[in-house]
Amino acid sequence: MPICGRCSLARVSRMKTILTVLAVFACTLAPDQSRARSDVPKYCKADLQRFCKDVRAGSSRLLQCLKTNHRLLSPECAQALQKLKP
């Protein structure tokens, strides 16, 4: 069934294929970035509790809190944050 009344099934299928290829491509572009992101909760847990306990999660507020307190962070957390930079 077409997504919209004007779209043919072939066009919808082609759009799905293009979106799938783009998604796979995007995932392969930044494996180190996603790995670095997973390091932040691991190495910054104590720093988050110490400096950002009153900050609500969402919209990168916790990450911003860590960046604001970067001079006070543990070396492990600071290194994990440094890996996030392009």
Side-chain angles (χ1 to χ4, degrees):
M1 175 177 231
I3 294 174
C4 66
R6 299 184 321 240
C7 301
S8 69
L9 288 176
R11 187 172 186 186
V12 170
S13 177
R14 191 169 45 236
M15 289 185 335
K16 285 181 184 179
T17 302
I18 291 170
L19 290 173
T20 301
V21 169
L22 287 173
V24 170
F25 181 68
C27 290
T28 60
L29 276 180
D32 293 333
Q33 185 79 6
S34 64
R35 191 176 315 118
R37 248 185 224 289
S38 68
D39 287 347
V40 171
K42 179 180 177 182
Y43 293 113
C44 297
K45 185 176 181 178
D47 295 289
L48 283 167
Q49 290 173 346
R50 183 174 176 198
F51 302 113
C52 309
K53 64 182 176 192
D54 296 327
V55 177
R56 280 188 354 196
S59 299
S60 300
R61 286 186 285 263
L62 291 173
L63 187 57
Q64 187 58 45
C65 175
L66 289 174
K67 288 179 180 179
T68 300
N69 292 289
H70 71 278
R71 294 175 195 250
L72 305 171
L73 299 177
S74 65
E76 298 85 7
C77 180
Q79 187 175 11
L81 283 177
Q82 187 65 30
K83 288 181 185 179
L84 290 177
K85 293 184 178 179

mmCIF file of all heavy atoms in Angstrom, residues 34-84:
data_model
loop_
_atom_site.group_PDB
_atom_site.id
_atom_site.type_symbol
_atom_site.label_atom_id
_atom_site.label_comp_id
_atom_site.label_asym_id
_atom_site.label_seq_id
_atom_site.Cartn_x
_atom_site.Cartn_y
_atom_site.Cartn_z
ATOM 1 N N SER A 34 30.304 6.154 18.301
ATOM 2 C CA SER A 34 29.299 5.463 19.115
ATOM 3 C C SER A 34 29.969 4.726 20.265
ATOM 4 O O SER A 34 29.426 4.642 21.350
ATOM 5 C CB SER A 34 28.453 4.524 18.262
ATOM 6 O OG SER A 34 29.256 3.507 17.719
ATOM 7 N N ARG A 35 31.155 4.174 20.028
ATOM 8 C CA ARG A 35 31.892 3.515 21.102
ATOM 9 C C ARG A 35 32.291 4.537 22.154
ATOM 10 O O ARG A 35 32.192 4.285 23.354
ATOM 11 C CB ARG A 35 33.133 2.817 20.539
ATOM 12 C CG ARG A 35 33.780 1.899 21.543
ATOM 13 C CD ARG A 35 34.973 1.117 20.989
ATOM 14 N NE ARG A 35 34.729 0.541 19.697
ATOM 15 C CZ ARG A 35 35.409 0.859 18.594
ATOM 16 N NH1 ARG A 35 36.373 1.758 18.652
ATOM 17 N NH2 ARG A 35 35.145 0.288 17.439
ATOM 18 N N ALA A 36 32.717 5.713 21.731
ATOM 19 C CA ALA A 36 33.090 6.773 22.672
ATOM 20 C C ALA A 36 31.892 7.206 23.493
ATOM 21 O O ALA A 36 32.000 7.463 24.690
ATOM 22 C CB ALA A 36 33.676 7.961 21.920
ATOM 23 N N ARG A 37 30.724 7.289 22.844
ATOM 24 C CA ARG A 37 29.508 7.647 23.568
ATOM 25 C C ARG A 37 29.195 6.638 24.659
ATOM 26 O O ARG A 37 28.738 6.990 25.735
ATOM 27 C CB ARG A 37 28.330 7.723 22.604
ATOM 28 C CG ARG A 37 27.836 9.087 22.433
ATOM 29 C CD ARG A 37 26.600 9.134 21.567
ATOM 30 N NE ARG A 37 26.695 10.204 20.620
ATOM 31 C CZ ARG A 37 26.622 11.479 20.933
ATOM 32 N NH1 ARG A 37 26.442 11.850 22.165
ATOM 33 N NH2 ARG A 37 26.735 12.388 20.020
ATOM 34 N N SER A 38 29.442 5.360 24.383
ATOM 35 C CA SER A 38 29.150 4.332 25.382
ATOM 36 C C SER A 38 30.152 4.381 26.531
ATOM 37 O O SER A 38 29.889 3.856 27.603
ATOM 38 C CB SER A 38 29.132 2.950 24.737
ATOM 39 O OG SER A 38 30.423 2.586 24.311
ATOM 40 N N ASP A 39 31.318 5.010 26.326
ATOM 41 C CA ASP A 39 32.309 5.148 27.394
ATOM 42 C C ASP A 39 31.912 6.203 28.419
ATOM 43 O O ASP A 39 32.299 6.108 29.579
ATOM 44 C CB ASP A 39 33.679 5.520 26.818
ATOM 45 C CG ASP A 39 34.344 4.362 26.096
ATOM 46 O OD1 ASP A 39 33.880 3.217 26.245
ATOM 47 O OD2 ASP A 39 35.328 4.628 25.380
ATOM 48 N N VAL A 40 31.155 7.195 28.006
ATOM 49 C CA VAL A 40 30.814 8.297 28.908
ATOM 50 C C VAL A 40 30.041 7.811 30.138
ATOM 51 O O VAL A 40 30.453 8.104 31.268
ATOM 52 C CB VAL A 40 30.071 9.429 28.165
ATOM 53 C CG1 VAL A 40 29.536 10.464 29.144
ATOM 54 C CG2 VAL A 40 31.011 10.086 27.159
ATOM 55 N N PRO A 41 28.954 7.055 29.991
ATOM 56 C CA PRO A 41 28.263 6.599 31.211
ATOM 57 C C PRO A 41 29.155 5.709 32.088
ATOM 58 O O PRO A 41 29.102 5.789 33.310
ATOM 59 C CB PRO A 41 27.077 5.798 30.682
ATOM 60 C CG PRO A 41 26.880 6.255 29.286
ATOM 61 C CD PRO A 41 28.231 6.665 28.791
ATOM 62 N N LYS A 42 29.982 4.912 31.438
ATOM 63 C CA LYS A 42 30.857 3.988 32.170
ATOM 64 C C LYS A 42 31.880 4.740 33.017
ATOM 65 O O LYS A 42 32.063 4.446 34.192
ATOM 66 C CB LYS A 42 31.565 3.081 31.161
ATOM 67 C CG LYS A 42 32.528 2.094 31.757
ATOM 68 C CD LYS A 42 33.145 1.258 30.649
ATOM 69 C CE LYS A 42 34.169 0.294 31.183
ATOM 70 N NZ LYS A 42 34.800 -0.472 30.099
ATOM 71 N N TYR A 43 32.555 5.712 32.417
ATOM 72 C CA TYR A 43 33.642 6.403 33.108
ATOM 73 C C TYR A 43 33.216 7.680 33.821
ATOM 74 O O TYR A 43 33.996 8.237 34.600
ATOM 75 C CB TYR A 43 34.764 6.729 32.123
ATOM 76 C CG TYR A 43 35.455 5.488 31.605
ATOM 77 C CD1 TYR A 43 35.353 5.124 30.275
ATOM 78 C CD2 TYR A 43 36.195 4.681 32.455
ATOM 79 C CE1 TYR A 43 35.976 3.978 29.806
ATOM 80 C CE2 TYR A 43 36.822 3.535 31.997
ATOM 81 C CZ TYR A 43 36.715 3.191 30.669
ATOM 82 O OH TYR A 43 37.328 2.059 30.209
ATOM 83 N N CYS A 44 32.018 8.159 33.564
ATOM 84 C CA CYS A 44 31.587 9.431 34.153
ATOM 85 C C CYS A 44 30.482 9.285 35.190
ATOM 86 O O CYS A 44 29.916 10.284 35.620
ATOM 87 C CB CYS A 44 31.129 10.384 33.037
ATOM 88 S SG CYS A 44 32.434 10.821 31.886
ATOM 89 N N LYS A 45 30.175 8.066 35.571
ATOM 90 C CA LYS A 45 29.067 7.849 36.509
ATOM 91 C C LYS A 45 29.256 8.640 37.803
ATOM 92 O O LYS A 45 28.364 9.367 38.239
ATOM 93 C CB LYS A 45 28.916 6.358 36.810
ATOM 94 C CG LYS A 45 27.738 6.035 37.669
ATOM 95 C CD LYS A 45 27.580 4.543 37.847
ATOM 96 C CE LYS A 45 26.361 4.251 38.696
ATOM 97 N NZ LYS A 45 26.146 2.822 38.855
ATOM 98 N N ALA A 46 30.425 8.533 38.409
ATOM 99 C CA ALA A 46 30.674 9.243 39.675
ATOM 100 C C ALA A 46 30.652 10.750 39.467
ATOM 101 O O ALA A 46 30.114 11.493 40.301
ATOM 102 C CB ALA A 46 32.010 8.802 40.266
ATOM 103 N N ASP A 47 31.218 11.203 38.326
ATOM 104 C CA ASP A 47 31.230 12.637 38.038
ATOM 105 C C ASP A 47 29.816 13.162 37.818
ATOM 106 O O ASP A 47 29.490 14.272 38.249
ATOM 107 C CB ASP A 47 32.100 12.917 36.809
ATOM 108 C CG ASP A 47 33.560 12.588 37.068
ATOM 109 O OD1 ASP A 47 34.197 13.323 37.837
ATOM 110 O OD2 ASP A 47 34.045 11.585 36.519
ATOM 111 N N LEU A 48 28.989 12.381 37.151
ATOM 112 C CA LEU A 48 27.595 12.786 36.944
ATOM 113 C C LEU A 48 26.873 12.913 38.277
ATOM 114 O O LEU A 48 26.131 13.869 38.498
ATOM 115 C CB LEU A 48 26.871 11.777 36.050
ATOM 116 C CG LEU A 48 27.173 11.879 34.562
ATOM 117 C CD1 LEU A 48 26.668 10.640 33.827
ATOM 118 C CD2 LEU A 48 26.546 13.131 33.976
ATOM 119 N N GLN A 49 27.108 11.947 39.178
ATOM 120 C CA GLN A 49 26.459 12.006 40.488
ATOM 121 C C GLN A 49 26.986 13.171 41.309
ATOM 122 O O GLN A 49 26.244 13.803 42.051
ATOM 123 C CB GLN A 49 26.664 10.684 41.237
ATOM 124 C CG GLN A 49 25.901 9.539 40.627
ATOM 125 C CD GLN A 49 26.235 8.206 41.262
ATOM 126 O OE1 GLN A 49 27.216 8.065 41.988
ATOM 127 N NE2 GLN A 49 25.418 7.212 40.966
ATOM 128 N N ARG A 50 28.264 13.468 41.153
ATOM 129 C CA ARG A 50 28.876 14.531 41.950
ATOM 130 C C ARG A 50 28.501 15.931 41.455
ATOM 131 O O ARG A 50 28.149 16.807 42.246
ATOM 132 C CB ARG A 50 30.389 14.372 41.913
ATOM 133 C CG ARG A 50 31.123 15.368 42.750
ATOM 134 C CD ARG A 50 32.592 15.066 42.790
ATOM 135 N NE ARG A 50 33.296 16.092 43.538
ATOM 136 C CZ ARG A 50 34.582 16.302 43.463
ATOM 137 N NH1 ARG A 50 35.331 15.547 42.691
ATOM 138 N NH2 ARG A 50 35.152 17.252 44.163
ATOM 139 N N PHE A 51 28.587 16.150 40.132
ATOM 140 C CA PHE A 51 28.418 17.495 39.593
ATOM 141 C C PHE A 51 27.060 17.765 38.948
ATOM 142 O O PHE A 51 26.667 18.916 38.805
ATOM 143 C CB PHE A 51 29.509 17.788 38.550
ATOM 144 C CG PHE A 51 30.896 17.654 39.087
ATOM 145 C CD1 PHE A 51 31.725 16.650 38.632
ATOM 146 C CD2 PHE A 51 31.370 18.523 40.059
ATOM 147 C CE1 PHE A 51 33.011 16.518 39.125
ATOM 148 C CE2 PHE A 51 32.656 18.393 40.562
ATOM 149 C CZ PHE A 51 33.487 17.387 40.099
ATOM 150 N N CYS A 52 26.357 16.713 38.555
ATOM 151 C CA CYS A 52 25.151 16.909 37.745
ATOM 152 C C CYS A 52 23.925 16.213 38.323
ATOM 153 O O CYS A 52 22.970 15.916 37.589
ATOM 154 C CB CYS A 52 25.409 16.411 36.315
ATOM 155 S SG CYS A 52 26.903 17.052 35.560
ATOM 156 N N LYS A 53 23.933 15.949 39.614
ATOM 157 C CA LYS A 53 22.836 15.177 40.200
ATOM 158 C C LYS A 53 21.488 15.883 40.098
ATOM 159 O O LYS A 53 20.449 15.238 40.068
ATOM 160 C CB LYS A 53 23.148 14.816 41.648
ATOM 161 C CG LYS A 53 23.256 16.006 42.567
ATOM 162 C CD LYS A 53 23.615 15.575 43.967
ATOM 163 C CE LYS A 53 23.818 16.811 44.827
ATOM 164 N NZ LYS A 53 24.431 16.494 46.087
ATOM 165 N N ASP A 54 21.472 17.191 40.019
ATOM 166 C CA ASP A 54 20.210 17.933 39.939
ATOM 167 C C ASP A 54 19.798 18.267 38.503
ATOM 168 O O ASP A 54 18.780 18.929 38.290
ATOM 169 C CB ASP A 54 20.309 19.229 40.742
ATOM 170 C CG ASP A 54 20.498 18.963 42.227
ATOM 171 O OD1 ASP A 54 19.959 17.954 42.725
ATOM 172 O OD2 ASP A 54 21.199 19.749 42.890
ATOM 173 N N VAL A 55 20.581 17.796 37.530
ATOM 174 C CA VAL A 55 20.295 18.080 36.125
ATOM 175 C C VAL A 55 19.407 16.973 35.570
ATOM 176 O O VAL A 55 19.716 15.785 35.722
ATOM 177 C CB VAL A 55 21.608 18.172 35.305
ATOM 178 C CG1 VAL A 55 21.311 18.393 33.843
ATOM 179 C CG2 VAL A 55 22.489 19.283 35.859
ATOM 180 N N ARG A 56 18.301 17.375 34.941
ATOM 181 C CA ARG A 56 17.398 16.396 34.319
ATOM 182 C C ARG A 56 18.025 15.859 33.049
ATOM 183 O O ARG A 56 18.612 16.603 32.267
ATOM 184 C CB ARG A 56 16.065 17.037 33.955
ATOM 185 C CG ARG A 56 15.104 17.179 35.085
ATOM 186 C CD ARG A 56 13.758 17.641 34.617
ATOM 187 N NE ARG A 56 13.759 17.980 33.192
ATOM 188 C CZ ARG A 56 12.845 18.674 32.586
ATOM 189 N NH1 ARG A 56 11.840 19.139 33.258
ATOM 190 N NH2 ARG A 56 12.904 18.928 31.309
ATOM 191 N N ALA A 57 17.869 14.566 32.819
ATOM 192 C CA ALA A 57 18.387 13.944 31.602
ATOM 193 C C ALA A 57 17.551 14.392 30.406
ATOM 194 O O ALA A 57 16.373 14.689 30.531
ATOM 195 C CB ALA A 57 18.344 12.434 31.732
ATOM 196 N N GLY A 58 18.184 14.443 29.251
ATOM 197 C CA GLY A 58 17.491 14.803 28.018
ATOM 198 C C GLY A 58 18.061 16.058 27.401
ATOM 199 O O GLY A 58 18.627 16.916 28.092
ATOM 200 N N SER A 59 17.943 16.147 26.093
ATOM 201 C CA SER A 59 18.410 17.312 25.326
ATOM 202 C C SER A 59 19.875 17.633 25.602
ATOM 203 O O SER A 59 20.266 18.796 25.649
ATOM 204 C CB SER A 59 17.551 18.544 25.599
ATOM 205 O OG SER A 59 16.226 18.303 25.229
ATOM 206 N N SER A 60 20.669 16.614 25.863
ATOM 207 C CA SER A 60 22.119 16.745 26.093
ATOM 208 C C SER A 60 22.461 17.581 27.319
ATOM 209 O O SER A 60 23.569 18.100 27.442
ATOM 210 C CB SER A 60 22.811 17.322 24.861
ATOM 211 O OG SER A 60 22.608 16.494 23.761
ATOM 212 N N ARG A 61 21.514 17.723 28.246
ATOM 213 C CA ARG A 61 21.785 18.533 29.442
ATOM 214 C C ARG A 61 22.893 17.928 30.307
ATOM 215 O O ARG A 61 23.732 18.660 30.844
ATOM 216 C CB ARG A 61 20.505 18.708 30.259
ATOM 217 C CG ARG A 61 19.517 19.678 29.648
ATOM 218 C CD ARG A 61 18.337 19.919 30.577
ATOM 219 N NE ARG A 61 17.410 18.804 30.589
ATOM 220 C CZ ARG A 61 16.299 18.735 29.861
ATOM 221 N NH1 ARG A 61 15.967 19.736 29.073
ATOM 222 N NH2 ARG A 61 15.508 17.694 29.923
ATOM 223 N N LEU A 62 22.902 16.591 30.443
ATOM 224 C CA LEU A 62 23.937 15.964 31.258
ATOM 225 C C LEU A 62 25.315 16.120 30.619
ATOM 226 O O LEU A 62 26.296 16.402 31.304
ATOM 227 C CB LEU A 62 23.619 14.483 31.486
ATOM 228 C CG LEU A 62 22.415 14.208 32.383
ATOM 229 C CD1 LEU A 62 22.090 12.727 32.410
ATOM 230 C CD2 LEU A 62 22.679 14.716 33.799
ATOM 231 N N LEU A 63 25.371 15.954 29.316
ATOM 232 C CA LEU A 63 26.633 16.140 28.607
ATOM 233 C C LEU A 63 27.121 17.577 28.754
ATOM 234 O O LEU A 63 28.300 17.826 28.992
ATOM 235 C CB LEU A 63 26.456 15.774 27.137
ATOM 236 C CG LEU A 63 27.705 15.751 26.283
ATOM 237 C CD1 LEU A 63 28.743 14.795 26.839
ATOM 238 C CD2 LEU A 63 27.347 15.369 24.857
ATOM 239 N N GLN A 64 26.218 18.523 28.645
ATOM 240 C CA GLN A 64 26.576 19.930 28.818
ATOM 241 C C GLN A 64 27.067 20.204 30.240
ATOM 242 O O GLN A 64 28.021 20.956 30.438
ATOM 243 C CB GLN A 64 25.384 20.835 28.486
ATOM 244 C CG GLN A 64 25.720 22.302 28.477
ATOM 245 C CD GLN A 64 26.820 22.640 27.480
ATOM 246 O OE1 GLN A 64 26.814 22.192 26.350
ATOM 247 N NE2 GLN A 64 27.793 23.416 27.910
ATOM 248 N N CYS A 65 26.436 19.567 31.211
ATOM 249 C CA CYS A 65 26.873 19.720 32.602
ATOM 250 C C CYS A 65 28.305 19.217 32.767
ATOM 251 O O CYS A 65 29.129 19.865 33.414
ATOM 252 C CB CYS A 65 25.928 18.972 33.533
ATOM 253 S SG CYS A 65 26.451 18.986 35.261
ATOM 254 N N LEU A 66 28.598 18.059 32.183
ATOM 255 C CA LEU A 66 29.961 17.530 32.264
ATOM 256 C C LEU A 66 30.956 18.477 31.599
ATOM 257 O O LEU A 66 32.041 18.725 32.121
ATOM 258 C CB LEU A 66 30.039 16.143 31.616
ATOM 259 C CG LEU A 66 29.368 15.007 32.368
ATOM 260 C CD1 LEU A 66 29.395 13.732 31.533
ATOM 261 C CD2 LEU A 66 30.011 14.779 33.722
ATOM 262 N N LYS A 67 30.579 19.003 30.445
ATOM 263 C CA LYS A 67 31.473 19.927 29.736
ATOM 264 C C LYS A 67 31.701 21.204 30.544
ATOM 265 O O LYS A 67 32.801 21.750 30.559
ATOM 266 C CB LYS A 67 30.907 20.255 28.362
ATOM 267 C CG LYS A 67 31.012 19.090 27.398
ATOM 268 C CD LYS A 67 30.417 19.442 26.054
ATOM 269 C CE LYS A 67 30.531 18.269 25.092
ATOM 270 N NZ LYS A 67 29.943 18.589 23.779
ATOM 271 N N THR A 68 30.661 21.672 31.223
ATOM 272 C CA THR A 68 30.781 22.875 32.052
ATOM 273 C C THR A 68 31.760 22.648 33.203
ATOM 274 O O THR A 68 32.493 23.556 33.590
ATOM 275 C CB THR A 68 29.399 23.273 32.613
ATOM 276 O OG1 THR A 68 28.530 23.536 31.516
ATOM 277 C CG2 THR A 68 29.480 24.497 33.500
ATOM 278 N N ASN A 69 31.775 21.421 33.720
ATOM 279 C CA ASN A 69 32.640 21.081 34.856
ATOM 280 C C ASN A 69 33.908 20.344 34.424
ATOM 281 O O ASN A 69 34.518 19.634 35.228
ATOM 282 C CB ASN A 69 31.852 20.218 35.851
ATOM 283 C CG ASN A 69 30.747 20.994 36.513
ATOM 284 O OD1 ASN A 69 30.995 21.865 37.330
ATOM 285 N ND2 ASN A 69 29.517 20.704 36.141
ATOM 286 N N HIS A 70 34.320 20.513 33.190
ATOM 287 C CA HIS A 70 35.414 19.710 32.638
ATOM 288 C C HIS A 70 36.722 19.792 33.441
ATOM 289 O O HIS A 70 37.464 18.832 33.513
ATOM 290 C CB HIS A 70 35.673 20.080 31.166
ATOM 291 C CG HIS A 70 36.297 21.411 30.970
ATOM 292 N ND1 HIS A 70 35.556 22.578 30.979
ATOM 293 C CD2 HIS A 70 37.578 21.780 30.772
ATOM 294 C CE1 HIS A 70 36.366 23.598 30.789
ATOM 295 N NE2 HIS A 70 37.595 23.150 30.644
ATOM 296 N N ARG A 71 36.985 20.902 34.081
ATOM 297 C CA ARG A 71 38.239 21.047 34.841
ATOM 298 C C ARG A 71 38.218 20.241 36.143
ATOM 299 O O ARG A 71 39.266 19.991 36.725
ATOM 300 C CB ARG A 71 38.499 22.506 35.153
ATOM 301 C CG ARG A 71 38.764 23.337 33.927
ATOM 302 C CD ARG A 71 38.888 24.809 34.283
ATOM 303 N NE ARG A 71 38.782 25.608 33.091
ATOM 304 C CZ ARG A 71 39.797 26.269 32.553
ATOM 305 N NH1 ARG A 71 40.970 26.238 33.109
ATOM 306 N NH2 ARG A 71 39.629 26.961 31.454
ATOM 307 N N LEU A 72 37.035 19.848 36.578
ATOM 308 C CA LEU A 72 36.902 19.129 37.843
ATOM 309 C C LEU A 72 36.694 17.629 37.666
ATOM 310 O O LEU A 72 36.659 16.890 38.648
ATOM 311 C CB LEU A 72 35.711 19.698 38.631
ATOM 312 C CG LEU A 72 35.747 21.206 38.889
ATOM 313 C CD1 LEU A 72 34.418 21.677 39.465
ATOM 314 C CD2 LEU A 72 36.890 21.552 39.820
ATOM 315 N N LEU A 73 36.570 17.164 36.437
ATOM 316 C CA LEU A 73 36.239 15.767 36.165
ATOM 317 C C LEU A 73 37.414 14.833 36.423
ATOM 318 O O LEU A 73 38.576 15.230 36.356
ATOM 319 C CB LEU A 73 35.799 15.603 34.705
ATOM 320 C CG LEU A 73 34.559 16.379 34.278
ATOM 321 C CD1 LEU A 73 34.293 16.165 32.800
ATOM 322 C CD2 LEU A 73 33.352 15.992 35.105
ATOM 323 N N SER A 74 37.074 13.582 36.686
ATOM 324 C CA SER A 74 38.113 12.560 36.822
ATOM 325 C C SER A 74 38.834 12.408 35.481
ATOM 326 O O SER A 74 38.257 12.698 34.426
ATOM 327 C CB SER A 74 37.481 11.228 37.228
ATOM 328 O OG SER A 74 36.638 10.760 36.184
ATOM 329 N N PRO A 75 40.079 11.971 35.508
ATOM 330 C CA PRO A 75 40.822 11.807 34.252
ATOM 331 C C PRO A 75 40.136 10.842 33.271
ATOM 332 O O PRO A 75 40.139 11.077 32.064
ATOM 333 C CB PRO A 75 42.174 11.249 34.694
ATOM 334 C CG PRO A 75 42.318 11.663 36.123
ATOM 335 C CD PRO A 75 40.919 11.709 36.664
ATOM 336 N N GLU A 76 39.530 9.782 33.782
ATOM 337 C CA GLU A 76 38.848 8.809 32.920
ATOM 338 C C GLU A 76 37.652 9.435 32.215
ATOM 339 O O GLU A 76 37.422 9.226 31.032
ATOM 340 C CB GLU A 76 38.392 7.589 33.740
ATOM 341 C CG GLU A 76 39.516 6.814 34.369
ATOM 342 C CD GLU A 76 39.964 7.383 35.711
ATOM 343 O OE1 GLU A 76 39.309 8.313 36.242
ATOM 344 O OE2 GLU A 76 40.992 6.897 36.223
ATOM 345 N N CYS A 77 36.879 10.202 32.954
ATOM 346 C CA CYS A 77 35.701 10.863 32.384
ATOM 347 C C CYS A 77 36.132 11.920 31.374
ATOM 348 O O CYS A 77 35.564 12.023 30.283
ATOM 349 C CB CYS A 77 34.858 11.485 33.494
ATOM 350 S SG CYS A 77 33.369 12.325 32.911
ATOM 351 N N ALA A 78 37.145 12.693 31.719
ATOM 352 C CA ALA A 78 37.636 13.726 30.804
ATOM 353 C C ALA A 78 38.108 13.100 29.497
ATOM 354 O O ALA A 78 37.852 13.630 28.408
ATOM 355 C CB ALA A 78 38.759 14.511 31.468
ATOM 356 N N GLN A 79 38.776 11.955 29.586
ATOM 357 C CA GLN A 79 39.254 11.273 28.385
ATOM 358 C C GLN A 79 38.083 10.749 27.548
ATOM 359 O O GLN A 79 38.098 10.846 26.327
ATOM 360 C CB GLN A 79 40.187 10.131 28.770
ATOM 361 C CG GLN A 79 40.855 9.476 27.587
ATOM 362 C CD GLN A 79 41.871 8.432 28.006
ATOM 363 O OE1 GLN A 79 41.955 8.047 29.165
ATOM 364 N NE2 GLN A 79 42.652 7.971 27.055
ATOM 365 N N ALA A 80 37.053 10.207 28.205
ATOM 366 C CA ALA A 80 35.871 9.733 27.475
ATOM 367 C C ALA A 80 35.173 10.884 26.762
ATOM 368 O O ALA A 80 34.732 10.732 25.611
ATOM 369 C CB ALA A 80 34.902 9.034 28.451
ATOM 370 N N LEU A 81 35.102 12.031 27.405
ATOM 371 C CA LEU A 81 34.502 13.214 26.758
ATOM 372 C C LEU A 81 35.353 13.701 25.597
ATOM 373 O O LEU A 81 34.824 14.121 24.574
ATOM 374 C CB LEU A 81 34.329 14.349 27.782
ATOM 375 C CG LEU A 81 33.176 14.225 28.756
ATOM 376 C CD1 LEU A 81 33.181 15.381 29.738
ATOM 377 C CD2 LEU A 81 31.851 14.158 28.028
ATOM 378 N N GLN A 82 36.660 13.623 25.743
ATOM 379 C CA GLN A 82 37.562 14.068 24.681
ATOM 380 C C GLN A 82 37.373 13.219 23.430
ATOM 381 O O GLN A 82 37.458 13.728 22.312
ATOM 382 C CB GLN A 82 39.012 13.983 25.168
ATOM 383 C CG GLN A 82 40.021 14.559 24.226
ATOM 384 C CD GLN A 82 39.864 16.069 24.048
ATOM 385 O OE1 GLN A 82 39.419 16.767 24.954
ATOM 386 N NE2 GLN A 82 40.208 16.556 22.897
ATOM 387 N N LYS A 83 37.059 11.947 23.581
ATOM 388 C CA LYS A 83 36.840 11.054 22.445
ATOM 389 C C LYS A 83 35.603 11.433 21.649
ATOM 390 O O LYS A 83 35.480 11.067 20.488
ATOM 391 C CB LYS A 83 36.712 9.610 22.916
ATOM 392 C CG LYS A 83 37.992 8.992 23.381
ATOM 393 C CD LYS A 83 37.742 7.564 23.803
ATOM 394 C CE LYS A 83 38.973 6.920 24.386
ATOM 395 N NZ LYS A 83 38.688 5.540 24.813
ATOM 396 N N LEU A 84 34.690 12.160 22.258
ATOM 397 C CA LEU A 84 33.463 12.564 21.563
ATOM 398 C C LEU A 84 33.720 13.682 20.562
ATOM 399 O O LEU A 84 32.945 13.860 19.632
ATOM 400 C CB LEU A 84 32.407 13.053 22.563
ATOM 401 C CG LEU A 84 31.781 11.997 23.453
ATOM 402 C CD1 LEU A 84 30.807 12.659 24.424
ATOM 403 C CD2 LEU A 84 31.086 10.930 22.632
#
